[in-house]
Amino acid sequence: AKEQLVEAYLERRDGRWLVAGFQNARIKPFPTSGPLFEVASRAVRLRVDRARRAPAAQARELLTEALRWWHGPAFQEHADEAWAAPEVARLSALRAEARELAVAAALFTGHTAEAAPAAEAMVRERPLREEGWRLLALAHWATGRRGDALTALRRARRTLRDELGCDPSPMLAELERAILNQRVEVLRAAVPDRTLVTAERARGGGE
């Protein structure tokens, strides 16, 4: 039964509670009728929700903490079972959004070196989410790799056409035009001036 399987995931290892794909040293079982799994997922949702509205530096801290809760995929051994599918989809989408917001916050706070590999990992795992491709292109552009940024957007177009039979959204099309036309003001909307030194020095290069 679902309740029994959820309880089976509440294991204490090395002083930590592992909860259906989450881990955190401070969590303890609540003395309520709801499973601890719901406590963990609510805590993650709260941090992601706060990060959506927080200044970039604070958002980065919140998202780093939220992402540390994951300990592998949610319900990894039961992901294909009907009762688990809705929760797996919900938590997978929440994790994907948290990772995207974390990369966006990294770009905005000047941590461009870590943004590109993080975005590359996202598009490998979830290639149909356009936000990952947008962030990957921005990360390359922010570090002066204009050619790599354009290559990322072309990869996105090819992937979407092959998998879904459609072109990228206007968001990605506009970003590609901005890169081609060297409209730096578009990049500054996502990456402040202080992180553009390398990009502006290498403008037109990297191709």
Side-chain angles (χ1 to χ4, degrees):
K2 176 178 178 179
E3 292 296 328
Q4 294 172 328
L5 281 168
V6 169
E7 291 298 324
Y9 274 76
L10 308 185
E11 299 176 4
R12 191 170 178 81
R13 299 178 188 169
D14 301 324
R16 295 177 299 182
W17 287 94
L18 305 187
V19 188
F22 298 114
Q23 66 175 358
N24 189 283
R26 291 169 296 173
I27 195 167
K28 296 293 187 294
F30 270 34
T32 66
S33 58
L36 186 56
F37 164 74
E38 288 300 327
V39 176
S41 62
R42 280 197 300 272
V44 172
R45 288 198 304 272
L46 177 63
R47 283 162 175 77
V48 173
D49 186 57
R50 288 174 59 194
R52 293 188 189 108
R53 304 185 300 273
Q58 183 184 356
R60 190 165 176 265
E61 294 178 1
L62 287 165
L63 294 161
T64 297
E65 183 177 354
L67 289 167
R68 284 176 180 160
W69 284 65
W70 263 270
H71 187 77
F75 297 110
Q76 185 171 10
E77 297 179 1
H78 306 282
D80 294 331
E81 297 192 29
W83 64 262
E87 283 299 295
V88 169
R90 180 173 66 86
L91 292 171
S92 296
L94 182 65
R95 182 173 184 243
E97 182 186 4
R99 294 173 73 188
E100 290 164 357
L101 290 170
V103 171
L107 284 171
F108 201 84
T109 54
H111 297 83
T112 54
E114 69 186 51
E120 184 66 53
M122 290 191 303
V123 300
R124 282 199 307 268
E125 293 176 26
R126 299 178 74 94
L128 301 183
R129 287 181 70 97
E130 290 193 20
E131 179 65 1
W133 293 107
R134 185 185 77 88
L135 292 167
L136 179 59
L138 282 170
H140 285 318
W141 195 18
T143 51
R145 299 194 298 272
R146 181 169 172 257
D148 289 341
L150 291 169
T151 297
L153 293 170
R154 289 162 186 157
R155 286 170 55 200
R157 181 186 299 108
R158 185 169 58 250
T159 298
L160 293 170
R161 284 178 175 174
D162 290 347
E163 297 295 328
L164 301 178
C166 65
D167 287 326
S169 69
M171 173 185 69
L172 290 189
E174 174 61 23
L175 180 58
E176 184 173 16
R177 286 192 295 271
I179 294 173
L180 285 168
N181 297 325
Q182 300 187 41
R183 290 172 49 203
V184 179
E185 72 277 7
V186 175
L187 178 58
R188 285 195 177 116
V191 187
D193 291 355
R194 66 178 178 276
T195 67
L196 286 172
V197 176
T198 303
E200 292 186 347
R201 284 178 182 169
R203 188 180 301 169
E207 297 178 11

